[in-house]
Structures are given as structure tokens and as C-alpha cells.
Amino acid sequence: MRRLIDPGRYHQALAEVPRLTGEDRERQREREVFHLGLTRWLPALMDRQDRLSMAVGLEVRVPFADHRLAEYLFNVPMRLKRHAGTPKAVLREASRGLLPDKVVDRPKSAYPASRNHTHVARMRELVMDLLADPHAPVFDLVDRERVRTALTGDLDDLPGPITAVTPAIGLSYLLEMNRWFQRYGVRLTL
């Protein structure tokens, strides 16, 4: 099995996390996860957002990326961040009265987050059409038979973002990657 994370780099990243005297293991782990998100995942997202927006001349603001807010929240325990099991509880309470309740209380969702079975069925159809195309460039990178098998079984075997909340996201990633390859004439050779 291929290792996705270099253990040395992972341990190096964990060694960067500030330690507090008397902190229990659970709270220490929360800080490690938050630190990894801030130092490894967030910079990649910010870079992507910046590149994509600038590519089309769009100025994008990221209001919650202020370092002072991140530094403060680094020390807020998860039990407060998810007070009473509510994700983003601190943000929701801070914005209550400033935004309509339907905005403050709406569930968190990724884009696209449709869990509608007809959406998943349509994505499945489009990927079946893609499988039928012997020249689809995405299959220079992705195993065609694995995709075919996943379409008849467990869609969770498809590539997609870690935060995918619906199998349709993995399907749409395949379609968008293929569209990008076609648009820019990308072909991979091994």
C-alpha cells in the first residue's frame, strides 16, 4: 500500500505545535489538528483562491483569515467551538443579531453539497458517458476500470476532496478534471 503521508514530515509538523503545561492529551490533539489545518491545509486553499480569483481579475476578500482571529481561536477549546454540538458555535453566536437567524443557523455545506439522489444519478450518467469515450484524457491519470467498478458499487472509492459530503463530488471532480484536460489540451504520458 502506498504511503500518503511522510511520517518524518508529519512528526516535524507536530513538533511545531506549542505545548501548554498541564494540557491533557485530548486538548493537545485538538491544538495539533488546528495547527496542521492552519499551517498545511489553509495555505494551499488560500493560494488556490488567490490564483483562481486573479486569473479572472476578481478581487476576493477572506474576512475570517485575519491572523489575530486565527491566533485567538487557536486557544479556544473545541468544546466551545462546537458548543452543544453546533459547528462554528463561536462564529454563530458572534454574528447573531448582525445576520438573519436563517443565515446564522443554517447547516454548514461544501460546494457543491447536493445530497439529492437525482443529482448523484445525473453525475453517474455523465461519468458513464465519459467512460464510453475512449479518448477521454482524464483516464491518462485515473484508472478507468476502477471508476467503472465504483460506479456499480461504492462511490466512496472515487477520487475527491477529503471533505466530500456526497459521492457526487467525486463524480464531478472526474468530469471537471476531464473538461480541464480537454480545454487546455493536456495529455499525460507515462
Side-chain angles (χ1 to χ4, degrees):
M1 176 183 228
R2 191 180 85 175
R3 188 173 273 177
L4 298 177
I5 297 174
D6 176 357
R9 291 184 66 199
Y10 176 70
H11 292 296
Q12 177 186 2
L14 291 183
E16 297 169 3
V17 180
R19 307 289 177 203
L20 297 179
T21 305
E23 185 172 53
D24 66 27
R25 180 65 190 132
E26 182 180 345
R27 181 66 182 115
Q28 182 181 358
R29 186 62 183 151
E30 286 176 9
R31 290 161 67 68
E32 289 171 351
V33 170
F34 198 81
H35 175 81
L36 292 173
L38 280 175
T39 61
R40 301 317 194 268
W41 186 55
L42 184 61
L45 289 177
M46 297 295 287
D47 182 63
R48 183 183 306 160
Q49 170 267 311
D50 188 52
R51 289 172 186 268
L52 291 174
S53 63
M54 290 299 117
V56 294
L58 183 63
E59 184 69 29
V60 175
R61 300 286 183 218
V62 187
F64 299 121
D66 185 290
H67 72 92
R68 293 165 296 194
L69 182 60
E71 289 165 3
Y72 172 75
L73 289 172
F74 185 78
N75 293 308
V76 173
M78 188 57 71
R79 64 182 161 72
L80 296 177
K81 291 177 187 172
R82 288 190 59 89
H83 181 68
T86 303
K88 302 184 182 267
V90 174
L91 174 62
R92 290 174 194 274
E93 289 310 309
S95 58
R96 194 166 305 284
L98 300 172
L99 297 171
D101 286 346
K102 70 179 186 176
V103 173
V104 171
D105 296 323
R106 75 178 175 206
K108 180 181 174 184
S109 65
Y111 174 82
S114 176
R115 293 177 180 91
N116 184 308
H117 70 280
T118 57
H119 178 67
V120 175
R122 180 63 180 142
M123 292 290 103
R124 202 183 277 261
E125 286 174 23
L126 292 170
V127 172
M128 288 298 284
D129 292 345
L130 191 63
L131 284 166
D133 179 357
H135 305 292
V138 73
F139 295 116
D140 292 343
L141 180 64
V142 177
D143 184 318
R144 185 183 298 264
E145 290 312 309
R146 184 171 173 196
V147 172
R148 190 181 318 278
T149 301
L151 280 178
T152 59
D154 185 6
L155 290 177
D156 290 335
D157 287 341
L158 289 173
I162 292 172
T163 57
V165 294
T166 169
I169 292 177
L171 296 172
S172 66
Y173 262 50
L174 285 171
L175 294 166
E176 291 303 320
M177 199 172 2
N178 190 72
R179 184 175 297 140
W180 185 84
F181 284 169
Q182 288 175 326
R183 181 176 184 176
Y184 295 102
V186 174
R187 293 303 301 206
L188 301 177
T189 56
L190 301 175

